[in-house]
Amino acid sequence: MKEDIIKEIVDEEKIQSILDKTKSPSKKTILYILDKAKEKKGLSLEEVGFLVNINDRELQEELFRTAGKIKDEIYGERLVFFAPLYVSDFCINDCDYCNFHIRNKDLKRKKLTLEEVEEQVKILLNMGHKRLLLEFGEDPINNSIDYVVEVIDKIYSIRIKEGNIRRVNVNIAATTKDNYRKLKKARIGTYQLFQETYHISTYKKLHHGPKADYLRQITAHIRALEAGLDDLGLGVLFGLYDWRFEVLGLVSHAQYLDKKFGVGPHTFSIPRFRPAPTVTYTPEASVSDEDFLKIIAILRLAVPYTGMIISTREKPQIRKIAFKIGISQASACSVTSVGGYGKKRNQPQFEIYDERSLSEVINDVIEDKFLPSFCTACYRSKRTGEYFMNLAKPGKIHNFCRPNGILTFAEYLEDFAKDGLYEKGYRLIEFYLNKIEGENIKRITKEKLEKIKQGQRDLYF
Ligand code: SAM
Ligand code: SF4
């Protein structure tokens, strides 16, 4: 039954009753949960309930400290960068919060031709990007699955002297198992789809068109898994409903996939609502900066092995703190309109906050000793899904990630560094090279680094 499967994934009544039961947690309870989180085995929904109800400053600081420690132990110093590529803003839905909604008659709709895809991708490659996230509105005619696949094939075929796009992640509307099989065949990286809100009546109020079908949306990842896609991204659009409820919804969804399929989500996305030209909707449950950081910290504790993505919807100052307490992937230098890189821009999907170039962002994060990574090795070496988790959980993934982060950052420095970044970057590489555990792997990394300096590219473990 429809209601049963929804309840199995996210049980609204249960979440509500947990939230009521866990109000005003004691210091002892919170310290116990934070201690348990340090084991990096995740938390129960009830424990997450206590954490979202923290309202003591001292305990909040302790929460951030614990999240920072877990982030550091699992993800280390690496920060993976990517850029979104808006391919088509044709959309038959009428989501209240999105500027691509069908009611927007001022938008001159656009879908990229394959030549335009090539133009946009070359601009992104020339900034240093190696990973893209493709964005499409939902429109079975204009954005048919065959068009989506053609665009992906095209992107993988593009090469410039400095390299190519090595991982294409995709964010398209919920679809059928057959269509997910086509995405699998097209060798996508992560398939991302956000629930937007887990709260059913809010979901129904804000969505009109095929996306209004809550069941279709919440079961999409199951169809994707059954079609063989095993790197999946979940997400919430924060601001639509009480963030505390949404955090429990997200954790419940992740735990369901993990339990049922043995594969938890590869990533969480946590966008906050941003204004847009024709959007009159104002968020009913705006999330403050402080609560936003709490969301990140709590998710880091609750589902430690799921990467977390932050976008340019956030201000540089918030991103800086977020990197320390849980974020492992970030977009940089994004444009949210179709065909907008290097061109006069069409109306965007929403306004962004962080408008810095990729090199400005990199200069900033290395000040905090983060190692920018463009690594795409795991999925190309078939370390995905359950296999990935089996390496990640005992901490073995470090053996691959640090060297691969170093090698991809070195490529970036060789090809794109300007104004002193080259020297600063190599000082950071030297620092982390010395931290590689295992003399053999350290030696091979050094050899590969030399080859990169001599012009070889795409060397990885
Ligand atoms: N059309 C597909 C869909 O709706 O699933 C693809 C994704 S859409 C291009 C990317 C995401 O942008 C949406 O899932 C939504 O969470 C987010 N989004 C839409 N409007 C937004 C706004 N005003 N502010 C922030 N994020 C927004
Ligand atoms: Fe269309 Fe996606 Fe925007 Fe909704 S969020 S209007 S489905 S592009």
Side-chain angles (χ1 to χ4, degrees):
M1 275 252 303
K2 186 171 149 175
E3 285 73 25
D4 292 344
I5 174 85
I6 293 177
K7 230 180 157 102
E8 234 188 289
I9 303 171
V10 174
D11 185 339
E12 214 173 284
E13 278 165 29
K14 183 172 153 199
I15 291 182
Q16 202 47 61
S17 95
I18 291 177
L19 285 172
D20 294 340
K21 254 193 341 219
T22 51
K23 281 221 168 84
S24 326
S26 70
K27 182 170 176 180
K28 193 167 152 224
T29 307
I30 295 297
L31 292 180
Y32 168 80
I33 297 169
L34 296 183
D35 235 28
K36 182 178 166 204
K38 289 179 192 148
E39 292 168 21
K40 295 175 284 190
K41 295 202 171 108
L43 297 174
S44 70
L45 281 187
E46 189 152 304
E47 288 160 342
V48 178
F50 283 114
L51 295 185
V52 299
N53 277 313
I54 291 180
N55 46 25
D56 172 297
R57 197 144 281 279
E58 210 180 295
L59 291 176
Q60 187 177 307
E61 288 309 316
E62 200 50 44
L63 165 72
F64 290 151
R65 264 195 296 278
T66 312
K69 186 170 164 3
I70 293 174
K71 152 97 208 276
D72 191 44
E73 281 174 16
I74 298 180
Y75 301 88
E77 65 281 2
R78 297 170 317 279
L79 261 186
V80 171
F81 284 104
F82 72 95
L85 176 62
Y86 279 72
V87 183
S88 168
D89 55 26
F90 281 93
C91 192
I92 57 169
N93 285 306
D94 201 36
C95 308
D96 281 0
Y97 47 78
C98 173
N99 196 44
F100 295 162
H101 45 196
I102 197 165
R103 80 184 79 156
N104 183 356
K105 304 291 179 217
D106 301 339
L107 175 63
K108 219 170 145 273
R109 307 262 164 186
K110 182 171 172 60
K111 62 184 264 198
L112 298 180
T113 61
L114 294 183
E115 289 68 40
E116 287 168 325
V117 168
E118 177 159 358
E119 229 174 75
Q120 293 284 292
V121 168
K122 284 188 170 163
I123 293 173
L124 289 161
L125 281 169
N126 275 308
M127 291 177 196
H129 280 294
K130 299 282 189 289
R131 297 170 151 247
L132 296 184
L133 170 62
L134 304 189
E135 303 280 359
F136 297 79
E138 175 169 10
D139 184 332
I141 295 171
N142 283 299
N143 309 336
S144 69
I145 195 72
D146 294 337
Y147 169 66
V148 173
V149 168
E150 258 179 64
V151 169
I152 298 167
D153 288 346
K154 177 74 196 175
I155 293 175
Y156 279 132
S157 77
I158 299 166
R159 279 182 166 63
I160 63 166
K161 185 167 68 47
E162 292 80 9
N164 58 310
I165 296 296
R166 300 172 186 162
R167 179 172 175 123
V168 177
N169 297 333
V170 177
N171 190 346
I172 59 163
T175 184
T176 59
K177 226 190 273 185
D178 274 349
N179 286 349
Y180 287 133
R181 276 195 202 101
K182 292 187 181 172
L183 289 184
K184 167 83 186 167
K185 210 162 149 239
R187 297 174 295 123
I188 66 163
T190 312
Y191 169 61
Q192 297 189 8
L193 178 72
F194 310 159
Q195 186 60 32
E196 319 293 7
T197 171
Y198 283 96
H199 191 252
I200 299 175
S201 59
T202 305
Y203 186 91
K204 292 198 169 143
K205 196 169 70 190
L206 299 178
H207 297 99
H208 318 274
K211 187 168 168 183
D213 183 346
Y214 185 96
L215 181 72
R216 184 191 81 156
Q217 192 83 356
I218 205 159
T219 52
H221 302 84
I222 300 177
R223 290 190 295 284
L225 276 164
E226 287 170 351
L229 288 170
D230 58 2
D231 270 6
L232 301 176
L234 303 182
V236 159
L237 180 55
F238 283 99
L240 310 186
Y241 190 68
D242 182 2
W243 66 266
R244 295 167 189 85
F245 180 94
E246 304 289 19
V247 167
L248 266 79
L250 202 49
V251 173
S252 175
H253 196 172
Q255 290 178 344
Y256 169 86
L257 295 176
D258 198 7
K259 212 161 74 199
K260 196 98 178 168
F261 298 91
V263 200
H266 191 67
T267 53
F268 285 142
S269 297
I270 46 166
R272 277 195 285 183
F273 170 83
R274 295 282 300 135
T278 66
V279 172
T280 52
Y281 168 78
T282 43
E284 286 163 36
S286 283
V287 175
S288 68
D289 287 349
E290 191 175 338
D291 286 341
F292 181 67
L293 294 171
K294 272 202 256 177
I295 293 171
I296 295 170
I298 294 168
L299 288 172
R300 189 62 306 133
L301 268 55
V303 194
Y305 292 95
T306 291
M308 221 184 313
I309 304 176
I310 200 164
S311 74
T312 54
R313 292 173 184 88
E314 301 300 332
K315 304 180 193 88
Q317 308 88 288
I318 293 295
R319 284 165 50 106
K320 202 174 173 72
I321 307 171
F323 293 152
K324 296 182 181 154
I325 60 170
I327 295 297
S328 50
Q329 296 188 24
S331 52
C333 194
S334 307
V335 167
T336 64
S337 50
V338 173
Y341 291 107
K343 286 264 159 91
K344 191 174 164 294
R345 295 187 190 157
N346 220 351
Q347 269 188 16
Q349 190 193 16
F350 50 81
E351 290 166 15
I352 60 170
Y353 250 135
D354 187 347
E355 296 190 318
R356 295 171 299 169
S357 67
L358 178 61
S359 81
E360 283 173 293
V361 175
I362 286 181
N363 263 291
D364 187 23
V365 302
I366 67 174
E367 294 295 321
D368 289 331
K369 277 205 155 36
F370 284 114
L371 181 74
S373 169
F374 297 88
C375 179
T376 55
C378 271
Y379 102 111
R380 292 195 295 154
S381 304
K382 308 252 177 317
R383 294 191 294 265
T384 64
E386 199 174 353
Y387 180 48
F388 173 83
M389 287 297 168
N390 288 340
L391 282 169
K393 288 187 180 166
K396 289 189 187 150
I397 199 76
H398 268 318
N399 301 343
F400 299 106
C401 295
R402 180 172 277 152
N404 283 334
I406 287 174
L407 296 174
T408 56
F409 186 42
E411 283 187 347
Y412 176 85
L413 293 175
E414 292 298 325
D415 293 333
F416 306 103
K418 286 200 259 320
D419 307 329
L421 176 61
Y422 188 87
E423 292 72 24
K424 266 197 287 184
Y426 268 109
R427 275 200 296 277
L428 191 74
I429 286 183
E430 200 54 40
F431 178 77
Y432 286 117
L433 199 53
N434 286 323
K435 285 183 179 273
I436 293 179
E437 283 166 30
E439 285 312 308
N440 202 29
I441 196 153
K442 194 186 284 183
R443 181 182 51 77
I444 302 172
T445 308
K446 282 184 182 166
E447 286 167 11
K448 288 189 193 291
L449 262 179
E450 274 317 304
K451 287 183 183 157
I452 287 173
K453 284 186 185 163
Q454 285 154 21
Q456 281 196 45
R457 293 292 174 267
D458 206 11
L459 303 173
Y460 59 92
F461 290 88

